[in-house]
Amino acid sequence: MLAVYVYLWFLYRSIIHLSPQKFQFYSKHCMSNQFTPRESACFGESHGQRMGNFNGVLGVKGRGFKLKRKQMDLMKNQLVSNNEGIQTVEVDNHCNFLQNSDLCICVVTWNMNGQVSYEDLVKLIGSSRKFDLLVVGLQEVPRKNIAQLLQTALAETHVLFAEAIMQSLQLYMFGLKNSELLIKELKVDKYSVGGFGGLIRRKKGAVAIRINYKGIIMVYISCHLSAHARNVEERNSQCRHISHEIFSNNVNPYAKRAHITVWLGDLNYRINGITTHPTRNLIQKDLHHKLLTSKDQLLQEAKRGQIFNGYCEGSLTFKPTFKYNVGSSNYDTSHKVRVPSWTDRILFKIEDPDKINASLHGYKSVDDIYSSDHKPVKAHLCLTLNKQSPPTGKKILP
């Protein structure tokens, strides 16, 4: 009986992956469903959805758990049935910027590898300005004033709304000129996952911005997770900790939940189960989007219910974005000959589809930037509030 109890303890701990203090608090209240509004808020907006509800699965009697085989099977089946994984959505490349949506957002993520030029940032943004908001998440940023360079490139149309910076991990948000009055709420936060990466401008963790703009509440989380193919569980753990800790301090229990949460960054999940040369052959034959996505660790872990349950992502039609030889479009030719991987991703989750609709009008890599061993990734996302929840303010022409 003691062995069963110990096994259940570690199984339960591994599923929710909380600190001992939070685990003790959670296990105490979860069985009785007696969370106060503030206690629920402290776990973050998506805690219940991501970690699952174990009420009725683990029975408490006397001093320990009484768990029968049927109950164990029920717990396993419930975990599987509640898992949605990452939903792949098709991309509609046509966007009527001023007509069919309330808010259009351009989201960019790029691991800069400690190098930057103004010309690269201009390419990163692109010549089109058909967006209300520009969100730029950067990793391994050099010691330069990136905000000023971006503002110079956007001077004619957009201004800086917010920035969240943690050493080499940085997140910027720009909005249309003369639309600042449409901001009703603006907060920033950061969370470090430790280590000494900051000493060499490779800080790991996440920075985030929460904004209520035109009546739409959004959370953007830009992260840089642990490297190497073998560290899957470490990345999973970091995702869970970031999800629970970001904006968890001084939580207003009466604050409205975000309409949409967007994760972007160098998540560092790799292609696994296939060696580098077969992988490169598939990419060369333009078969990567058909035959390599099943080998992607991020999609695999989401399917297992470990991370990003209920999130959406565009089809991975672009080539894996890491690792390139700096200064070229050739994959790694060093002695490590790394397997090309989609390390750089943009995911989004609509909290209540009855209140807001999202459409993806672009998801691609920017292949004509050569200063890093990563290629940037861009997404163009448009949001529409349902008629019963009209947005505040109309589109402002740049």
Side-chain angles (χ1 to χ4, degrees):
M1 185 64 186
L2 179 61
V4 173
Y5 181 84
V6 172
Y7 169 78
L8 289 174
W9 170 266
F10 284 103
L11 175 64
Y12 198 22
R13 282 288 307 279
S14 67
I15 292 173
I16 63 174
H17 207 92
L18 298 175
S19 65
Q21 294 80 6
K22 285 188 177 179
F23 173 75
Q24 183 180 13
F25 171 85
Y26 184 80
S27 60
K28 180 177 114 179
H29 291 278
C30 183
M31 304 306 170
S32 60
N33 238 351
Q34 294 177 350
F35 285 105
T36 67
R38 180 171 180 81
E39 289 167 346
S40 299
C42 286
F43 282 107
E45 296 177 354
S46 302
H47 177 79
Q49 295 174 347
R50 289 194 191 162
M51 299 305 165
N53 187 346
F54 295 92
N55 293 345
V57 179
L58 296 177
V60 181
K61 186 175 181 180
R63 296 183 179 180
F65 294 113
K66 184 176 181 180
L67 188 68
K68 298 180 180 180
R69 180 174 297 275
K70 289 184 178 179
Q71 290 174 309
M72 292 184 67
D73 293 338
L74 175 61
M75 180 174 69
K76 180 179 179 180
N77 292 335
Q78 187 176 38
L79 285 173
V80 173
S81 62
N82 286 345
N83 171 44
E84 301 175 26
I86 295 175
Q87 305 299 311
T88 300
V89 297
E90 296 299 323
V91 176
D92 179 4
N93 290 316
H94 182 66
C95 171
N96 292 322
F97 173 51
L98 296 175
Q99 298 178 11
N100 297 339
S101 59
D102 296 317
L103 186 63
C104 287
I105 310 137
C106 179
V107 184
V108 183
T109 180
W110 184 28
N111 184 317
M112 306 178 81
N113 193 35
Q115 304 292 327
V116 68
S117 69
Y118 176 73
E119 291 74 21
D120 282 345
L121 292 179
V122 171
K123 290 181 181 178
L124 186 70
I125 297 169
S127 57
S128 174
R129 295 291 187 272
K130 293 183 178 181
F131 47 78
D132 299 275
L133 296 177
L134 171 68
V135 179
V136 181
L138 302 171
Q139 307 86 43
E140 297 189 20
V141 179
R143 291 182 174 87
K144 292 188 178 181
N145 193 335
I146 303 299
Q148 184 177 351
L149 293 174
L150 288 170
Q151 184 61 85
T152 301
L154 291 162
E156 296 181 1
T157 56
H158 292 71
V159 295
L160 181 65
F161 276 4
E163 60 182 25
I165 298 177
M166 185 171 62
Q167 298 180 21
S168 59
L169 185 55
Q170 304 181 8
L171 178 64
Y172 300 95
M173 177 182 288
F174 293 84
L176 286 173
K177 282 186 172 181
N178 304 318
S179 68
E180 294 89 338
L181 293 178
L182 299 178
I183 301 174
K184 302 302 181 184
E185 177 191 10
L186 186 60
K187 297 179 180 179
V188 299
D189 200 5
K190 59 185 178 180
Y191 180 75
S192 172
V193 296
F196 299 98
L199 298 177
I200 55 175
R201 306 299 290 178
R202 294 181 181 177
K203 185 67 176 178
K204 299 298 192 297
V207 289
I209 296 174
R210 175 186 169 98
I211 186 172
N212 183 337
Y213 180 71
K214 299 177 68 174
I216 300 177
I217 304 173
M218 299 164 279
V219 173
Y220 295 89
I221 302 173
S222 178
C223 67
H224 191 187
L225 306 182
S226 292
H228 307 303
R230 64 182 179 273
N231 291 328
V232 178
E233 293 301 331
E234 185 173 345
R235 287 188 284 273
N236 291 349
S237 173
Q238 290 169 353
C239 284
R240 290 189 287 263
H241 277 84
I242 291 168
S243 178
H244 292 304
E245 296 298 331
I246 285 291
F247 295 119
S248 65
N249 294 327
N250 301 317
V251 172
N252 178 1
Y254 305 103
K256 294 182 178 180
R257 297 177 62 178
H259 291 105
I260 182 171
T261 301
V262 180
W263 275 69
L264 59 146
D266 181 1
L267 278 69
N268 252 324
Y269 287 90
R270 308 300 175 94
I271 289 175
N272 197 31
I274 183 172
T275 58
T276 187
H277 294 298
T279 299
R280 297 181 188 209
N281 288 336
L282 291 174
I283 296 171
Q284 189 175 11
K285 295 176 181 178
D286 198 27
L287 296 173
H288 49 276
H289 60 290
K290 296 180 180 179
L291 301 178
L292 285 181
T293 53
S294 63
K295 307 291 186 182
D296 178 71
Q297 289 179 339
L298 177 59
L299 297 180
Q300 290 174 345
E301 294 305 300
K303 189 175 182 179
R304 290 202 308 126
Q306 299 300 304
I307 49 173
F308 294 116
N309 187 36
Y311 275 76
C312 298
E313 183 184 25
S315 300
L316 293 170
T317 57
F318 53 87
K319 296 187 297 183
T321 55
F322 176 84
K323 175 180 170 91
Y324 285 87
N325 290 333
V326 175
S328 76
S329 290
N330 299 321
Y331 285 114
D332 181 27
T333 57
S334 72
H335 67 282
K336 295 183 179 180
V337 197
R338 292 176 178 84
V339 178
S341 299
W342 286 291
T343 56
D344 311 278
R345 311 289 275 270
I346 300 172
L347 314 171
F348 65 94
K349 182 176 183 178
I350 300 297
E351 294 297 339
D352 189 350
D354 292 332
K355 293 183 179 180
I356 191 169
N357 296 318
S359 56
L360 191 62
H361 296 279
Y363 192 44
K364 62 181 182 180
S365 59
V366 184
D367 294 334
D368 58 347
I369 293 179
Y370 307 102
S371 57
S372 173
D373 52 357
H374 291 252
K375 298 297 184 184
V377 172
K378 296 179 71 172
H380 187 87
L381 190 64
C382 292
L383 308 177
T384 305
L385 283 170
N386 289 342
K387 293 182 180 180
Q388 63 268 25
S389 303
T392 58
K394 298 180 179 180
K395 279 191 177 296
I396 297 177
L397 291 172

